[in-house]
Amino acid sequence: MPVASAPAGLAQSNEEPKSPGPLYGWAMLWTLLGIFAGGMALNLTPCVYPLIPITVSYFGGQAARGGQGQGKLVVHGLCYLMGLAVTNSVLGVVASLTGGLMGAMLQNPIVLMVVAVVLISFATSLFGLWEMRLPSGLTQAAAKSYTGYFGSLFMGLTLGVVAAPCIGPFVLGLLTWVASMASPWLGFLIFFTLSLGLGLPLFLLAMFSGQLERLPRSGGWMNWVRSFMGWVLVAMAVHFIRPVLPGHWGTVLLALVALAAGLHLGWIDKNQAGFRAFPWLKGGVGIACLVLAAFLITSWVMQGPGVTWKPYTDETLQAARSSKRPVIIDFYATWCTPCRELEEVTFHDAAVVKQAESDFVMVKVDVTKGGNPLHERLLREYEVKGVPTIVFLDSNGKERQDLRLVDYLPPDQFLGRMAQVKKDGG
């Protein structure tokens, strides 16, 4: 993430290959699966669900006209998916291209609070407190019907407009999150995945249109789905304001959101459905949210003491060289997601804490706010291009460039780097 206030225009370091943004590895996989599931859930909202039989009937009619049966139906379905993917993916890329500006703005606590308020306001729309409406002319234009493959493509392109009252708040909230990551390819991937989740059920139903009568009837249960998506936006709002919350209050607030969502979705919400599995679904989601809340609270309560950091001074480094102790310098910012993950996970790991206390001098340079002459000198001296950046100095005070860290690293791998700089220094 960029530190706009640094004179050199601090940005993510390119010294090591890494995935842009806060998503990488298993975190990316689980996030994309969650977004795919969210896209599928959007099909169950009151604005999209009634379109399912209309869309499936349209596909069937188009295929019947050409007399080519199932093969042509597949092509129409793919055109529909392509139109849906193009619309959403373009939105994701455009949003991410504003990320440099968004990343700089996200240093400001006021901006973070405004973003959270916007997400909460979108969530209240999904809770049914107000309705998002587009101009009638735009809605009528999007509802026009065309024949042929272009007609299927057009339906996919305009689904977002027709269904905007239900899916608009969720999509806008997701756009805000994507913009904060400043990665066009990641913006494309996230919204392409959302499009697959939204369009794939319609595609499959079109292929097996004979099963359409087995779908549950519209009812109050679709409002329950809207409420579920609203709680997702509330959780995203908490994610945005975590950097301005002291200590572990961000984790505590997330746990409270999970608790409230579980109670509301599982038991307080009285919407019902005509199919027997719905009460089990409500109870399952409620219990899952309560388990998540319990896990967050337990992880916070049971978390041991973290690394004890010293502020940077030339005297501290001189004393470390005199005592032949290696030094770890952590360039950190509160708005930086990998920085916080390092602090909350790696630097609270018992083995890392033990090694740090016994064999290392641990120094933290907090560049959350610019304008500090000492910090600006250190950024130039160590050629720091972004945060997080962790510098390893051996017992002679020389940096091990090959060990420099510019992203999150799990405790076991971080211990390996600590052992390496300690061994070579000795």
Side-chain angles (χ1 to χ4, degrees):
M1 292 188 179
V3 180
S5 55
L10 194 60
Q12 283 282 23
S13 173
N14 294 319
E15 294 179 19
E16 295 183 13
K18 60 189 289 294
S19 299
L23 297 181
Y24 44 86
W26 286 104
M28 175 177 286
L29 177 61
W30 286 111
T31 300
L32 291 178
L33 286 174
I35 290 170
F36 179 81
M40 295 186 69
L42 288 175
N43 283 289
L44 304 178
T45 58
C47 304
V48 182
Y49 194 78
L51 298 177
I52 293 178
I54 298 173
T55 305
V56 172
S57 299
Y58 172 84
F59 288 154
Q62 292 293 325
R65 289 177 188 175
Q68 299 179 26
Q70 195 78 0
K72 193 171 184 181
L73 193 60
V74 171
V75 178
H76 277 284
L78 292 176
C79 287
Y80 177 81
L81 279 175
M82 185 185 303
L84 189 60
V86 166
T87 300
N88 286 327
S89 300
V90 168
L91 286 175
V93 171
V94 171
S96 65
L97 290 176
T98 68
L101 175 62
M102 178 69 74
M105 291 172 62
L106 289 181
Q107 298 177 67
N108 191 326
I110 297 177
V111 175
L112 290 172
M113 296 298 292
V114 169
V115 171
V117 168
V118 170
L119 290 173
I120 294 293
S121 67
F122 288 148
T124 58
S125 172
L126 292 174
F127 291 143
L129 299 182
W130 60 282
E131 196 74 22
M132 176 180 288
R133 295 187 182 277
L134 295 178
S136 58
L138 181 61
T139 305
Q140 291 172 6
K144 287 183 178 179
S145 178
Y146 296 94
T147 60
Y149 294 125
F150 175 77
S152 299
L153 180 69
F154 184 80
M155 286 185 69
L157 288 170
T158 58
L159 175 65
V161 177
V162 177
C166 291
I167 73 173
F170 182 78
V171 171
L172 289 174
L174 200 59
L175 283 170
T176 304
W177 177 58
V178 165
S180 71
M181 291 188 289
S183 172
W185 82 268
L186 201 53
F188 173 87
L189 182 61
I190 286 173
F191 274 86
F192 184 81
T193 303
L194 179 74
S195 301
L196 288 180
L198 184 57
L200 192 59
L202 291 171
F203 176 78
L204 294 177
L205 284 171
M207 298 302 100
F208 304 99
S209 55
Q211 305 298 316
L212 192 62
E213 66 275 4
R214 296 190 178 184
L215 289 177
R217 295 182 178 179
S218 301
W221 62 272
M222 290 186 295
N223 292 324
W224 180 88
V225 175
R226 285 188 64 176
S227 296
F228 176 83
M229 306 308 292
W231 281 112
V232 172
L233 289 186
V234 173
M236 290 174 63
V238 174
H239 168 77
F240 269 97
I241 63 172
R242 284 187 71 190
V244 304
L245 298 175
H248 295 282
W249 279 105
T251 302
V252 174
L253 191 54
L254 274 176
L256 292 176
V257 169
L259 176 63
L263 294 175
H264 177 239
L265 296 172
W267 296 278
I268 297 176
D269 187 284
K270 299 303 181 183
N271 286 302
Q272 294 297 329
F275 54 97
R276 296 179 180 179
F278 185 64
W280 291 95
L281 175 63
K282 286 182 64 177
V285 170
I287 291 173
C289 290
L290 296 184
V291 170
L292 176 60
F295 171 79
L296 291 171
I297 292 296
T298 302
S299 64
W300 168 57
V301 172
M302 297 185 65
Q303 189 177 52
V307 168
T308 301
W309 297 97
K310 296 182 179 180
Y312 182 96
T313 64
D314 293 333
E315 291 75 14
T316 299
L317 262 62
Q318 182 60 44
R321 283 193 295 269
S322 300
S323 60
K324 294 296 182 180
R325 298 182 69 186
V327 179
I328 296 178
I329 306 176
D330 177 20
F331 289 88
Y332 168 94
T334 57
W335 44 261
C336 164
T337 300
C339 299
R340 293 178 66 90
E341 193 171 6
L342 278 166
E343 181 63 35
E344 295 173 2
V345 180
T346 302
F347 294 139
H348 272 81
D349 181 79
V352 172
V353 173
K354 183 178 179 181
Q355 281 288 317
E357 291 181 350
S358 61
D359 300 317
F360 287 82
V361 175
M362 307 295 288
V363 175
K364 186 180 289 291
V365 180
D366 190 345
V367 296
T368 301
K369 297 181 180 179
N372 187 315
L374 173 61
H375 293 172
E376 292 175 357
R377 174 175 71 83
L378 293 175
L379 295 176
R380 292 191 298 268
E381 180 180 332
Y382 288 98
E383 298 181 350
V384 174
K385 297 182 176 67
V387 290
T389 294
I390 298 181
V391 175
F392 294 81
L393 306 180
D394 63 22
S395 58
N396 297 314
K398 296 181 180 179
E399 181 185 355
R400 285 290 306 273
Q401 287 279 354
D402 58 315
L403 298 180
R404 178 176 285 214
L405 179 63
V406 294
D407 205 346
Y408 169 74
L409 200 67
D412 56 338
Q413 298 181 38
F414 195 87
L415 282 168
R417 298 199 183 200
M418 296 175 80
Q420 189 68 33
V421 70
K422 180 182 174 184
K423 174 183 176 182
D424 292 352

